[in-house]
Amino acid sequence: MFKIKSFLIVFLLIFFTEQAYTCTTTIISGRFTQDGRPIIFKHRDSSFEQNKLMFFDDGKYEYIGLVNSVDKSGSEVWGGCNSTGFAIMNSASYNLKPDHDLTRLKDQEGKVMKLALQNCETLEDFEALLDSIPKPLGVEANFGVIDAQGGCAYYECNNYEYRKIDANDPKIAPFGYIIRTNYSFTGSRNNGYGYIRYLTAENLMYQAEAEDNLTYKFLLQDVSRSLKHSLTGEDLTKAEAEENENKFVHLQDYIVRNSSVSTILVQGVKEGESPDLATIWTVLGFPLTSVAVPTWVNGGDNLPECVKADKSGNAPLCDYSLQLKDKCFPVKRGSGYKYMNLPFVYNEEGTGVIQKIRPFENEIMKRADEKIANWRKHKHVPKQEVLDFYESINDSVLSFYRNLLAE
């Protein structure tokens, strides 16, 4: 009986870990992006489906962070950017903790990232922070970081030490990008998770770099929503799926899957540019049913209403996205949550939900790009222009989703 109970406990822990804390992330040096600006990207998988954005002024620097909606005070941040252009995100790692480390303190990554956003301006500041926090840290993670001085690196970090993986080092990142899923390259071999997702992302990134297409748009639309599978060779966008049929696909080990809850991408600045120009793109909710919304730290607490918590405690965009996600996975019993009804998402007639979202999102991106180009030209981001843009984008997003859900 004891052996059976022990097995069940181990199984449940492994199952929960894979479902709750698995992410796909990348950092790209500004030397290799299309416009010369660094990028950090996190496709988040979590057991917390409801995510929101929050603005904070509780530290040395102001910042915007991705937060679980149940965390009303924002005690943990799962990716964000501050007023100096310093940005950070993470992916959980499961092969960095040595066997002799019996530390019970864990899952402190969100608190470490909040501290970093409150206090750090450069990669060196972040290293000093890691050195100064009392040990054990309570983390096992790959932290991706960029700053306004061109810094771009991962920190593979456990309870007592970290190793820097520099995207500006051609010996480490010959094509300027580094990918991390849920294992670390300096950790123990063959442990961890996300090897198939890693290769899928690597295939996509390698092709994009060759085509000079390492852009924020590519990451948000083609990586976070990729329906390719590196092990089986499947590409669900090429499957024959008609609008009115039920065609279920097993969405296991794709970058996007049932446990995907949000995406955050920070496009940094070139050296010498105002850090106010750093742009935070956030997709709240299931990436195949949500839309990317841009924000800037100097807009302050007046974030678009669709991405911050309303009276319910949840962000309206996330709520709308999850209502549509419910239709993607209509089988609720047993293992039904692993099976997506493909025609609702993508079909030959072009009426799938992501096929409707993408043109609308392209318009948001076009409008944002025009604004950003003008701000870069004048080397200034007027706060009132940011707030006016928020209001316009918010109205468009809410109207779009109300119409989409009414269909």
Side-chain angles (χ1 to χ4, degrees), residues 204-220:
L204 293 167
M205 297 284 288
Y206 183 84
Q207 184 69 27
E209 193 281 327
E211 298 173 353
D212 191 26
N213 189 36
L214 291 178
T215 65
Y216 81 88
K217 186 174 181 180
F218 158 74
L219 289 163
L220 291 171

Side-chain angles (χ1 to χ4, degrees), residues 271-284:
E271 290 187 66
E273 284 187 332
S274 168
D276 287 346
L277 287 160
T279 305
I280 306 157
W281 288 93
T282 313
V283 179
L284 293 182

Side-chain angles (χ1 to χ4, degrees), residues 94-360:
Y94 298 101
N95 69 335
L96 279 173
K97 189 176 178 181
D99 293 338
H100 60 77
D101 184 354
L102 303 179
T103 303
R104 292 188 177 184
L105 181 67
K106 62 180 181 178
D107 300 334
Q108 301 298 298
E109 289 83 2
K111 293 180 180 178
V112 170
M113 288 189 284
K114 182 178 179 71
L115 278 172
L117 290 166
Q118 287 174 320
N119 297 289
C120 297
E121 181 176 356
T122 65
L123 268 61
E124 291 73 22
D125 290 341
F126 181 61
E127 293 164 16
L129 177 69
L130 291 177
D131 290 335
S132 68
I133 299 174
K135 308 301 184 291
L137 288 171
V139 304
E140 189 177 17
N142 307 304
F143 291 107
V145 182
I146 59 173
D147 63 29
Q149 287 72 49
C152 183
Y154 272 110
Y155 292 84
E156 298 190 347
C157 186
N158 65 21
N159 281 316
Y160 296 98
E161 61 183 357
Y162 63 85
R163 295 184 184 179
K164 181 179 180 181
I165 316 296
D166 194 342
N168 285 312
D169 185 343
K171 294 180 181 178
I172 294 173
F175 302 111
Y177 63 82
I178 301 173
I179 300 164
R180 289 293 181 269
T181 51
N182 302 109
Y183 63 97
S184 301
F185 279 35
T186 61
S188 58
R189 186 183 180 193
N190 295 329
N191 291 329
Y193 307 98
Y195 289 89
I196 294 171
R197 285 182 284 115
Y198 177 95
L199 186 55
T200 302
E202 170 61 34
N203 291 340
L204 293 167
M205 297 284 288
Y206 183 84
Q207 184 69 27
E209 193 281 327
E211 298 173 353
D212 191 26
N213 189 36
L214 291 178
T215 65
Y216 81 88
K217 186 174 181 180
F218 158 74
L219 289 163
L220 291 171
Q221 295 188 332
D222 299 326
V223 177
S224 188
R225 295 172 182 147
S226 174
L227 291 173
K228 295 181 178 181
H229 196 290
S230 60
L231 184 62
T232 65
E234 289 179 294
D235 181 351
L236 297 180
T237 65
K238 299 185 184 303
E240 295 181 359
E242 297 181 1
E243 179 181 13
N244 295 318
E245 70 172 320
N246 285 329
K247 185 170 186 175
F248 288 91
V249 292
H250 188 209
L251 211 67
Q252 182 72 25
D253 290 318
Y254 289 85
I255 290 174
V256 61
R257 52 238 163 95
N258 186 284
S259 58
S260 300
V261 299
S262 59
T263 302
I264 184 168
L265 178 150
V266 180
Q267 183 181 39
V269 296
K270 292 181 179 179
E271 290 187 66
E273 284 187 332
S274 168
D276 287 346
L277 287 160
T279 305
I280 306 157
W281 288 93
T282 313
V283 179
L284 293 182
F286 188 52
L288 293 177
T289 61
S290 190
V291 64
V293 175
T295 54
W296 297 269
V297 176
N298 82 327
D301 193 33
N302 297 292
L303 294 167
E305 296 293 328
C306 62
V307 297
K308 64 181 183 179
D310 59 17
K311 292 180 180 179
S312 72
N314 299 322
L317 174 57
C318 200
D319 267 338
Y320 289 144
S321 171
L322 293 178
Q323 289 180 52
L324 291 166
K325 177 189 176 183
D326 195 53
K327 298 180 180 180
C328 296
F329 300 91
V331 180
K332 307 305 178 188
R333 60 190 179 191
S335 297
Y337 70 93
K338 294 182 180 180
Y339 294 86
M340 184 178 75
N341 189 22
L342 181 60
F344 180 77
V345 176
Y346 197 97
N347 60 55
E348 294 179 348
E349 289 80 7
T351 60
V353 64
I354 194 59
Q355 293 166 300
K356 295 176 181 178
I357 287 172
R358 187 156 181 159
F360 172 68

